[in-house]
C-alpha cells in the first residue's frame, strides 16, 4: 500500500506503507545485537540507520575492553558485528533517514523519507553523537581544526601539535592514537583527575609526546583560515587567559542522545535520554530503548550489547 504525504502547499511524496513485527532504530552495538537476537528468535527485523553502521564504535581508533579481543580497531569490531548480522540474512536500511515517529500504546509508526513503517514493536537504539565543545568559535572552526573523531581526521595533522579535551577513557584512547601521528599531544583536562581506566592513564603518562594540563579550561579557539591556537585558563583563575599554539583540537566531553525524532511521545529525562524500566520498555507499550540513547550510569560497548539482547527478547515476547 502507498500513500501520498504533502509537504507545504505544492509538494507531495509517495510513501510505501510497510507492516512489520519489529523496527530497530540504529545499527550500533545495541541495535545490531537486538537484530541478531530477533533474527534468531524467528523475527525478521527492519533496521534503520542514518549514519555509519557501528555507531560511535566505528569511529574509535582502538577497543581494548570488549571480550574476545585483546585489541581491535573500532572499525574492525563494527565490521564483525555486521558480518554476524549478515550471516543471519538480515540487512540494514542505511539510506532512508527517519523524519519522525508517532508512538502510542495502540500504534507505532516510523516515518522515513520513502516509507511509513507500522510495527508491532520498536527498539530505539539510535545512540548518541559527540557533544560539541562549548566555545564561541566552535562553529567557525568545525572541520577546520575542531574535530570529534581522531580516526577520521587525525591523519591531517601529522607532525603537528594537537589538543585533546576531555576526562574519560575515550579522550585518553584518542590521545594515544594521535600521539602516533602528531609531533605532540596536549590533553586539556578541567579537573585534577580522569574518569578513566587506570591502565589507559598509565599508558598515556608513559608517552613522552603527550602532555596533560590538569585544572585547565578551554576558553576558545582561533586562527586565520584554519585553527592556529586555543585559549585556555586555570580553572581557579579564569581571568588569566593563555594562548596555546595548536593546529587542531579534538573534543571528547560526552555525548548527546539522538532523540529529536521522537516528538515528545517517549518519556525522556532532563538530559534527553530515554527512561526505561528493568525490561528496557519505555512508557509506551511495545517500545523499547537500548544502548547509549537510554538513561543509565555506564555507557560501554558491552552494556550496549547487553541492552540490545534484553530489549530484543522482551520485544519478541511483547504480545505473549
Amino acid at each position: 500500500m502507498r500513500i501520498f504525504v504533502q509537504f507545504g502547499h505544492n509538494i507531495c511524496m509517495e510513501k510505501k506503507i510497510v507492516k512489520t513485527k519489529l523496527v530497530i532504530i540504529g545499527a550500533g552495538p545495541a541495535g545490531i545485537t537486538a537484530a541478531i537476537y530477533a533474527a534468531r528468535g524467528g523475527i525478521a527485523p527492519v533496521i534503520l540507520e542514518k549514519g555509519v553502521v557501528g555507531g560511535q564504535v566505528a569511529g574509535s581508533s582502538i577497543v581494548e575492553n570488549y571480550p574476545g579481543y585483546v585489541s581491535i580497531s573500532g572499525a574492525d569490531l563494527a565490521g564483525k558485528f555486521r558480518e554476524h548480522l549478515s550471516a543471519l540474512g538480515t540487512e540494514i536500511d542505511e539510506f532512508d533517514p527517519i523524519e519522525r515517529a508517532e508512538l502510542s500504546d495502540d500504534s507505532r509508526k516510523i516515518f522515513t523519507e520513502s516509507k511509513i513503517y507500522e510495527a508491532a514493536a520498536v527498539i530505539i537504539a539510535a545512540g548518541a553523537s559527540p557533544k560539541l565543545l562549548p566555545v564561541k568559535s566552535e562553529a567557525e572552526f568545525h572541520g577546520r581544526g575542531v574535530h570529534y573523531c581522531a580516526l577520521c581526521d587525525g591523519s591531517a595533522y601529522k607532525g603537528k601539535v594537537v589538543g585533546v579535551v576531555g576526562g574519560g577513557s575515550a579522550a585518553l584512547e584518542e590521545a594515544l592514537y594521535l600521539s602516533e601521528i602528531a609531533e605532540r599531544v596536549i590533553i586539556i583536562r578541567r579537573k585534577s583527575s580522569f574518569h578513566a581506566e587506570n591502565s589507559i592513564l598509565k599508558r598515556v603518562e608513559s608517552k613522552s609526546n603527550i602532555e596533560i594540563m590538569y585544572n585547565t579550561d578551554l576558553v576558545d579557539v582561533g586562527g586565520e583560515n584554519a585553527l592556529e591556537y586555543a585559549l585556555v585558563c586555570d580553572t581557579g583563575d579564569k581571568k588569566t587567559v593563555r594562548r596555546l599554539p595548536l593546529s587542531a583540537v579534538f573534543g571528547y566531553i560526552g555525548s548527546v542522545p539522538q532523540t529529536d525524532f521522537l516528538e515528545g511521545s517517549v518519556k525522556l529525562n532532563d538530559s534527553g535520554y530515554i527512561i526505561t524500566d528493568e525490561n528496557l520498555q519505555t512508557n509506551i507499550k511495545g517500545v523499547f530503548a537500548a544502548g547509549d540513547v537510554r538513561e543509565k550510569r555506564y555507557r560501554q560497548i558491552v552494556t550496549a550489547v547487553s541492552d540490545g539482547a534484553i530489549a530484543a527478547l522482551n520485544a519478541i515476547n511483547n504480545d505473549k
Side-chain angles (χ1 to χ4, degrees):
M1 180 178 177
R2 293 178 181 271
I3 65 169
F4 286 90
V5 179
Q6 184 170 347
F7 296 89
H9 296 291
N10 301 315
I11 303 174
C12 287
M13 179 178 290
E14 184 181 12
K15 293 197 176 190
K16 180 182 179 181
I17 294 179
V18 179
K19 294 182 183 292
T20 182
K21 289 185 176 180
L22 176 63
V23 168
I24 299 172
I25 300 173
I32 288 179
T33 303
I36 289 170
Y37 271 73
R40 289 175 57 84
I43 292 177
V46 172
I47 311 164
L48 305 176
E49 172 56 62
K50 69 174 183 178
V52 177
V53 173
Q56 293 188 80
V57 171
S60 299
S61 57
I62 197 75
V63 175
E64 297 180 330
N65 58 0
Y66 190 78
Y69 297 98
V70 175
S71 181
I72 186 172
S73 74
D76 286 345
L77 183 57
K80 294 291 185 182
F81 289 160
R82 184 165 191 163
E83 285 176 15
H84 191 165
L85 186 61
S86 296
L88 296 171
T90 302
E91 297 299 325
I92 302 169
D93 185 351
E94 302 174 58
F95 308 104
D96 200 9
I98 295 173
E99 294 175 342
R100 72 183 192 278
E102 294 181 0
L103 305 173
S104 69
D105 290 341
D106 301 318
S107 175
R108 287 157 291 277
K109 295 181 180 179
I110 308 297
F111 294 76
T112 71
E113 285 188 352
S114 64
K115 299 181 183 71
I116 300 173
Y117 291 99
E118 296 182 353
V122 174
I123 297 175
I124 304 169
S129 59
K131 186 179 292 184
L132 302 183
L133 293 171
V135 296
K136 181 177 65 176
S137 302
E138 193 281 337
E140 180 182 353
F141 291 96
H142 193 121
R144 297 193 302 120
V146 172
H147 305 282
Y148 300 90
C149 176
L151 181 64
C152 310
D153 304 305
S155 61
Y157 301 97
K158 185 176 181 179
K160 297 185 179 181
V161 181
V162 302
V164 171
V165 181
S169 293
L172 296 182
E173 288 169 348
E174 300 313 299
L176 284 169
Y177 175 77
L178 288 166
S179 71
E180 301 297 323
I181 300 170
E183 177 186 348
R184 191 157 62 103
V185 178
I186 300 174
I187 302 176
I188 301 169
R189 175 62 177 139
R190 66 186 306 271
K191 295 185 179 181
S192 59
S193 61
F194 286 91
H195 296 294
E197 296 173 27
N198 191 52
S199 60
I200 300 174
L201 180 57
K202 285 184 176 179
R203 287 172 56 197
V204 167
E205 292 174 334
S206 71
K207 294 286 290 189
S208 60
N209 67 333
I210 297 181
E211 175 187 351
I212 302 174
M213 297 179 67
Y214 287 106
N215 300 309
T216 302
D217 260 333
L218 178 69
V219 176
D220 205 354
V221 294
E224 292 296 329
N225 296 321
L227 192 143
E228 297 173 358
Y229 62 86
L231 299 176
V232 300
C233 70
D234 294 337
T235 53
D237 178 19
K238 295 185 179 296
K239 294 182 180 179
T240 304
V241 177
R242 293 170 288 150
R243 179 180 289 209
L244 193 64
L246 293 174
S247 296
V249 173
F250 291 80
Y252 298 95
I253 60 171
S255 57
V256 179
Q258 300 300 289
T259 53
D260 292 347
F261 65 93
L262 295 174
E263 298 183 344
S265 57
V266 172
K267 190 174 182 180
L268 310 175
N269 68 10
D270 292 340
S271 299
Y273 290 95
I274 299 173
I275 298 171
T276 65
D277 62 18
E278 63 179 7
N279 295 318
L280 302 195
Q281 184 165 254
T282 69
N283 59 302
I284 299 174
K285 181 182 177 181
V287 178
F288 303 83
D292 287 359
V293 77
R294 81 176 186 93
E295 179 184 58
K296 59 180 181 176
R297 183 174 182 181
Y298 298 112
R299 292 185 172 85
Q300 300 288 317
I301 302 172
V302 289
T303 63
V305 166
S306 173
D307 280 1
I310 294 169
L313 291 171
N314 285 308
I316 290 169
N317 294 299
N318 182 51
D319 293 325
K320 294 181 180 180

